[in-house]
Amino acid sequence: KFIENNSSNIANFDQEYIEQQLKIRQELKANKQYKEADKIRDQLLQIGIGIEDKPNNQSIFYLIKKD
């Protein structure tokens, strides 16, 4: 389950792609493939998308503002 934060700011990004990547990351983490899950987190971070993991297998994604 994913919670969007400031979704209007993320409109410029392909939200479906982000959610797909988060789902894959969740599956990797469930299978204890943390190194691969971290790669997805790092790739999203490079395009300005931050991820915050929450309890109950939820993740929040948000746009990182660059000055």
Side-chain angles (χ1 to χ4, degrees):
K1 193 173 199 182
F2 307 109
I3 302 170
E4 300 165 28
N5 187 12
N6 297 324
S7 59
S8 61
N9 292 334
I10 298 174
N12 294 334
F13 292 91
D14 185 346
Q15 189 168 332
E16 185 175 325
Y17 169 79
I18 295 167
E19 290 178 0
Q20 178 187 38
Q21 293 302 301
L22 290 174
K23 183 177 180 181
I24 292 168
R25 182 174 175 267
Q26 238 175 12
E27 291 170 4
L28 290 168
K29 287 175 57 180
N31 292 318
K32 298 184 180 185
Q33 295 176 295
Y34 300 113
K35 193 172 187 176
E36 295 300 316
D38 288 347
K39 284 182 184 179
I40 291 175
R41 181 198 62 214
D42 294 342
Q43 289 170 348
L44 290 173
L45 191 58
Q46 286 181 342
I47 63 168
I49 303 297
I51 301 172
E52 183 178 340
D53 293 323
K54 295 290 190 178
N56 300 324
N57 204 25
Q58 291 185 339
S59 295
I60 294 175
F61 63 92
Y62 54 90
L63 180 65
I64 298 173
K65 295 181 182 180
K66 295 183 180 182
D67 294 330

